[in-house]
Amino acid sequence: MATAQHEAAGAAAGVSEIDGLSWMKIRDSSGVPLADYQFATNHGGPLNAGATILWAILGLEFIGYMTIVTTAIWLIGYALSFRWLDMFGSALRGVADALTGQIATPMMLVTAAAIGAFFVAWFIVRGYTAKATMQVVTMVGVAILGPVFLADPLEDVLSSHGLLAQGRDLGISVAAGLNGNNNPNPTQLVSTMQGDLADSFARRPLQVWNFGHVVDERPSCRSAWSAGVMSGDDDRIKNGMRACGDSAAHAKADNPTMGQVGTGLMLLVCAGVLLVFAAYLAIKVIKAALDTLYHAFMSIFGFAAGGFVYGPTQTFLVRNLVDSFVAAARMTAFTIFLGVYVLFLGNLFRQAQGQVMAVIVIAGAAEIVAISQLKRLSRSLDSGNEWIANRFALAIQGGQARSSSSGGTALGMGTSSSAGSKGSSGIVTTLAALNTVNSSPITAWLAGGVGNPLNPLARGRRKVDATNIHVAPMRQQSHTWNQLGRDSWREIVTRADKFGDISTELGVASALKRLEDSRTPSTQLPAALLSAGASQKFVSDAMRAASTQKSTMSQNPYGFAPLQKAVAAARAVENYAGDDAHMAYAAQAAVSADSFARHSTEPAPGAVLDHHFIRTVEQHWDSDTGLRAAITPDQWNSVGRDTRWAIGNKVAKMHRDAAMTYYSTPSDLNRARLMASVRRVSNLDHLEPNGGLDPWDP
């Protein structure tokens, strides 16, 4: 009656409807098309510009909301109705028949059967009687079922009584049973399901948005609103609310507010979530059907030839057949899922007793959860499909397969992990592949020479690297020679004056130290020293002494580098006492000791020192055992750093004096005093962190 009334009204006068939605033919439970819905409010006018602006904003929100909701409901019904399959059913049947005629020929059948018979003979010769028997049974089964399938390969997919349609009908029947319908009609139930969704997501929310509450709670107002909407006159809708006794609804419609704009925005968000859910469900349903079509086409090759040949080709046929049956289970599961969801929403709105906005927000959250649950259900069905196909293939192959904890993997099924955990590691596998592509040099060349182009700031890093590659060598060479030619020679001579003339071993060692501190390349050190006036022998001896110091110094990462260099240089004096370059070693020890003293921090002026602690250390610093017995690591840690620095600075200066004395007077007594200073420094140097803070720690 509602449909006839709407068509009669439309014929008599132009009914206001959303033209882009009318072709979907979505109606609510009262038979009112969603394309005819209107937002009845005050349009304002020249003297009421505020109402006009609100009317325009609310109108835009209303059009957007109705478009999204209607599209979502249509998607769900369209996917379950299978009308989309009729659009290309005839074309697909023609392609399948043509493919069958080209492949399923007597020559192909005889050839495949001969290859299959060879495997039977091979198994018998090798003593695999069970496998030979299973191969014969499989070949006979393929020969019997093949003609039936090849007569109409797409029968189970496209026919109204095929596996997909039966799975859909079973799901709808279960969903109808949950809703209390004991005699369901699948065709009518799809429309009923769409009507329930229209009531829950379009009719009731629109009434709350427009009038502040659900006017359908009064039967007279329900009829008045439906009649007003189908007439296409929003004034008739408002007058109908007043006539049915709902003055609050009439007042709300005549006085729009900014609160209704906010309500519209919230409804748009909830409608967007509904659209995502509907699109995801529709894609899953359509994909299940299209996957079945694909496997039906692939089964043509299996029944025509591949099913007779032992191994992966038989597994390929089994996977295609299993997927066709599992597709029906998918369709049943998806339909039941949708039916339970619609039932849940219907009960939720009925229990709300007019609190539609709160329920629709909760429904949006439920839809987000439903999407994730639908993904999980789909992954479970995929895993089950692989497992069933693997078990059937194992049975056909006689159970001989690669062993695994899950019972084995049939030939042609891939790795065992792909059958059960394909979804769990998909993200990790994708990220690993993306990282491989990102780090490939081919990708760098394709990206215009940018290494790792997907990394943040990759192009900026390329510019910096290019600058360093092209400019740094020139800058280093300019610094080395130009700066050395103008300034560094003067600084070398100045340093040499402090320790002696450049013609002495000490002057050469000092100049070498200064050049190293200036980061002069090691290959240029001899030339720089010779250019400064040093003799060939002094330069050679100084380079040898410096090399010995570097190779023998401690590599402890917790040590104090100037101390380690001073100790290594002083020990080289002892080890090379009779060497021809002995004075070069003594000069190296003196220069290193001076650097050690300069880098040893002095206590702050006016700092309070623990003199008792200092005297205790001085009494035992010549004995490693005695010092460790007298001063514990906790005492080193607890004493003030100025006290420790006072000890370290004093010892460093004493070591510098001993090294300079030995260089000036290289006697056995002075060498013994230098070695005693080395032992003293070594006793105070804590090589491990658990020894506590030493005199040179910050």
Side-chain angles (χ1 to χ4, degrees), residues 346-681:
N347 291 335
L348 198 62
F349 277 101
R350 281 192 292 269
Q351 295 295 327
Q353 297 180 354
Q355 301 296 325
V356 176
M357 300 310 299
V359 174
I360 200 169
V361 173
I362 296 174
E367 288 160 1
I368 296 175
V369 175
I371 292 173
S372 64
Q373 292 173 339
L374 197 58
K375 288 182 179 179
R376 188 179 307 171
L377 175 63
S378 180
R379 286 197 298 266
S380 300
L381 292 173
D382 289 339
S383 178
N385 185 16
E386 294 291 328
W387 184 85
I388 295 172
N390 183 56
R391 302 310 298 176
F392 272 104
L394 278 175
I396 291 175
Q397 295 171 9
Q400 301 293 328
R402 299 189 298 275
S403 61
S404 69
S405 60
S406 60
T409 304
L411 295 174
M413 286 298 298
T415 60
S416 59
S417 61
S418 64
S421 61
K422 182 166 56 178
S424 60
S425 60
I427 297 178
V428 177
T429 304
T430 302
L431 292 177
L434 185 62
N435 182 64
T436 302
V437 173
N438 184 41
S439 59
S440 172
I442 299 177
T443 306
W445 282 110
L446 293 176
V450 180
N452 298 323
L454 300 181
N455 290 4
L457 305 178
R459 294 191 176 276
R461 188 177 296 109
R462 175 183 178 274
K463 295 179 181 179
V464 173
D465 292 342
T467 302
N468 292 335
I469 291 173
H470 297 293
V471 177
M474 299 174 58
R475 183 181 300 164
Q476 182 179 9
Q477 183 178 6
S478 175
H479 169 76
T480 302
W481 291 110
N482 297 342
Q483 190 71 15
L484 218 58
R486 291 194 301 267
D487 302 327
S488 294
W489 304 127
R490 190 177 302 107
E491 294 176 2
I492 291 173
V493 174
T494 302
R495 177 64 63 85
D497 290 342
K498 178 180 178 181
F499 291 98
D501 189 74
I502 191 68
S503 59
T504 64
E505 291 91 344
L506 186 59
V508 174
S510 176
L512 178 61
K513 177 69 168 59
R514 179 65 186 91
L515 287 172
E516 290 178 341
D517 292 343
S518 300
R519 300 182 180 274
T520 303
S522 58
T523 56
Q524 300 176 12
L525 291 175
L529 292 171
L530 292 173
S531 300
S535 67
Q536 180 67 46
K537 183 179 185 309
F538 285 176
V539 171
S540 178
D541 292 347
M543 296 296 297
R544 180 183 171 192
S547 176
T548 302
Q549 179 197 47
K550 293 177 182 177
S551 61
T552 58
M553 67 177 291
S554 173
Q555 302 298 322
N556 188 349
Y558 301 105
F560 184 41
L563 180 150
Q564 294 171 335
K565 293 180 181 180
V567 170
R571 286 175 176 168
V573 172
E574 177 72 13
N575 296 332
Y576 294 87
D579 194 90
D580 182 57
H582 180 69
M583 291 308 298
Y585 284 99
Q588 184 69 28
V591 172
S592 299
D594 176 71
S595 176
F596 174 37
R598 287 187 293 104
H599 287 89
S600 295
T601 309
E602 295 183 358
V608 179
L609 305 179
D610 189 341
H611 295 286
H612 174 73
F613 185 86
I614 294 175
R615 286 193 298 269
T616 303
V617 173
E618 291 176 349
Q619 291 172 1
H620 299 88
W621 62 17
D622 289 328
S623 171
D624 179 64
T625 305
L627 181 61
R628 298 186 186 279
I631 307 295
T632 64
D634 291 338
Q635 289 176 307
W636 279 111
N637 292 333
S638 60
V639 74
R641 69 176 185 178
D642 289 306
T643 300
R644 291 187 289 102
W645 287 352
I647 298 172
N649 186 261
K650 182 177 180 180
V651 171
K653 291 180 178 178
M654 292 170 61
H655 183 73
R656 179 186 59 187
D657 295 341
M660 292 299 297
T661 300
Y662 178 76
Y663 177 79
S664 300
T665 308
S667 62
D668 293 341
L669 178 61
N670 289 336
R671 187 169 68 251
R673 291 174 177 172
L674 178 60
M675 292 302 103
S677 178
V678 169
R679 287 190 294 273
R680 184 181 303 122
V681 172

